[in-house]
Amino acid sequence: MALLLRACLCLFAVLVFVDGSETKLIVREDEDAILPCSLGAADISSRVFDWKKDGRVEVFIYDDGRYYGKGLSGQHEQFRGRVFHFPEQLKGGNASIVIRKSKPADSGTYACIFPHEQPERRAHVELIVGASPRPIITANETSDGMLLLCEVNSASPEPVLEWRNSSGNILPAEKPQVSEKNGSYSVVLQTTVTKSGRYRCVSTQQKIHHQVYTETHVNVHEGAAPKPVIAVKETKDGLLLQCEVYSASPKPEVVFRDSSGNILAAEPQVTERGGSYDVILETTVTKSGDYQCVATQKEINHQRSTETRVNVPSGDSTPWIVLVGVLVVVLVFVAVGAVGAVWFHIKKKKTLKKKYEETTATGA
């Protein structure tokens, strides 16, 4: 097996001569990538050849028996301990290297350079490291149907996602959400379906001729109750909570619950039209807190709820009004009494003065 592998490597390597040519190499993530380069049949064991990525990143250099990790330094940390050459094939002109456990960040254009040859000799290899994880599907029921979410994480190169129905037709979907990190892509694609059936999320990476999909079956209840709507009205007795559920089939059971989960007393108003039900439920609360309206359809194992928080005005304002009224009356009486006392004092003073004047006049 080792002999066969060496023979294949030699055959592959001599196909890429250092003459300015370029080849494309596609491998999967975690596979070893062999980047081929050859100077023909010439003995290169005492020569210099240099491998660079994207024109500037130092991948590997060989100089007359010395190389990175053995007498030479300067190798980029991304490739440290991962890149090796084939010493036993140097005499046959093989300057190929192998990158162990390739990863998407290794993708790029590599140059194999013989800088001391006249003229300088070089060849290029485009490496594509493909990461192709299987799509992940999640389904969430909404008032409009079933929301299908497809996620592909850490893929390289960037995949194109599509939703397809059981007939293979492409479904309309929202614009995909794409994020990139270190050459890996994460993509999210969502669509809403209104019919039960099998649906497939397909991930295609055209650049590496790869396609993978995940399939799921969903049950969409066409008569499933929509999310309840809650209205709040202030009354003299507290706050009136009104819950409305429309066009539900089968008939839903609608209840109000407090923050402890206790069902509140209420009598539903139910109307039916063509097999669909409208339900209105009212209850009055006298305490502030969180309240929930829950609509349950046991026949189809469906439940929806809406929660609201209310603040009930505290206490009755009547005692305060009475108290203020009493205070006003008291203040009026005090004011009237004070005015009367002043008037009486002035009148008395005038009377005494008049008697004094009369007495004086008589004595004279």
Side-chain angles (χ1 to χ4, degrees):
M1 178 61 73
L3 182 61
L4 178 60
L5 179 60
R6 181 177 298 181
C8 292
L9 173 60
C10 291
L11 177 60
F12 187 39
V14 297
L15 291 177
V16 183
F17 295 97
V18 188
D19 58 2
S21 60
E22 181 173 337
T23 190
K24 180 182 288 188
L25 179 63
I26 300 174
V27 299
R28 292 183 181 275
E29 186 178 18
D30 289 330
E31 290 182 346
D32 292 347
I34 299 175
L35 279 57
C37 180
S38 174
L39 199 60
D43 181 358
I44 60 173
S45 59
S46 60
R47 302 190 188 187
V48 176
F49 62 89
D50 187 12
W51 279 92
K52 292 181 183 291
K53 177 179 181 286
D54 299 329
R56 63 186 184 280
V57 178
E58 285 292 344
V59 179
F60 183 83
I61 190 169
Y62 176 89
D63 184 358
D64 192 15
R66 298 183 304 153
Y67 47 88
Y68 289 143
K70 185 182 177 181
L72 295 178
S73 61
Q75 187 178 33
H76 193 279
E77 61 180 0
Q78 176 183 343
F79 299 101
R80 201 166 297 157
R82 299 177 55 229
V83 180
F84 304 92
H85 69 305
F86 300 90
E88 71 279 6
Q89 296 181 24
L90 293 174
K91 291 185 180 297
N94 186 6
S96 303
I97 58 172
V98 57
I99 302 177
R100 302 293 189 196
K101 295 185 69 67
S102 60
K103 48 191 178 182
D106 295 333
S107 298
T109 301
Y110 292 76
C112 173
I113 308 166
F114 282 82
H116 297 163
E117 299 299 312
Q118 296 297 329
E120 179 184 270
R121 308 289 293 277
R122 67 171 58 208
H124 296 88
V125 179
E126 182 186 358
L127 175 63
I128 301 173
V129 180
S132 309
R134 188 173 293 276
I136 299 172
I137 294 176
T138 54
N140 297 296
E141 197 166 11
T142 69
S143 58
D144 300 321
M146 192 71 71
L147 175 66
L148 301 181
L149 195 72
C150 177
E151 296 181 68
V152 174
N153 297 310
S154 302
S156 179
E158 180 181 349
V160 175
L161 303 188
E162 292 176 334
W163 275 107
R164 296 178 180 270
N165 60 18
S166 57
S167 301
N169 300 317
I170 298 175
L171 305 180
E174 296 186 11
K175 184 178 179 180
Q177 305 169 35
V178 182
S179 59
E180 185 270 340
K181 184 178 181 181
N182 298 328
S184 294
Y185 293 83
S186 295
V187 185
V188 178
L189 184 69
Q190 60 184 35
T191 188
T192 298
V193 297
T194 56
K195 294 183 179 179
S196 300
R198 300 199 70 81
Y199 295 91
R200 176 181 295 185
C201 178
V202 183
S203 173
T204 304
Q205 293 165 295
Q206 193 67 43
K207 200 170 184 179
I208 60 175
H209 310 292
H210 184 268
Q211 187 176 84
V212 65
Y213 68 86
T214 299
E215 194 169 78
T216 188
H217 185 275
V218 298
N219 291 313
V220 179
H221 304 297
E222 297 183 4
K227 194 175 182 68
V229 177
I230 296 178
V232 181
K233 300 177 182 178
E234 191 170 352
T235 69
K236 64 179 182 178
D237 300 320
L239 290 181
L240 175 67
L241 304 184
Q242 185 180 73
C243 178
E244 302 175 354
V245 178
Y246 292 111
S247 302
S249 178
K251 178 183 173 182
E253 178 187 4
V254 183
V255 297
F256 266 113
R257 294 181 182 272
D258 61 18
S259 58
S260 299
N262 301 313
I263 297 177
L264 306 183
E267 189 66 33
Q269 305 169 35
V270 183
T271 57
E272 186 266 343
R273 297 192 311 272
S276 292
Y277 293 84
D278 299 338
V279 182
I280 298 176
L281 189 69
E282 294 182 347
T283 189
T284 299
V285 297
T286 57
K287 294 181 179 180
S288 298
D290 296 321
Y291 295 90
Q292 189 177 47
C293 179
V294 184
T296 304
Q297 294 166 293
K298 293 181 180 179
E299 296 90 336
I300 59 175
N301 297 318
H302 179 76
Q303 187 177 83
R304 299 297 300 275
S305 64
T306 299
E307 189 172 291
T308 187
R309 181 169 185 81
V310 299
N311 292 310
V312 179
S314 58
D316 189 357
S317 59
T318 302
W320 289 100
I321 295 175
V322 173
L323 179 60
V324 171
V326 171
L327 288 175
V328 169
V329 171
V330 170
L331 289 174
V332 169
F333 275 108
V334 170
V336 170
V339 170
V342 171
W343 178 82
F344 179 77
H345 178 73
I346 294 173
K347 185 176 181 181
K348 184 176 181 181
K349 189 175 181 180
K350 288 183 177 180
T351 302
L352 292 173
K353 183 179 180 181
K354 185 176 181 182
K355 287 183 177 181
Y356 174 76
E357 290 176 348
E358 290 177 350
T359 303
T360 304
T362 304

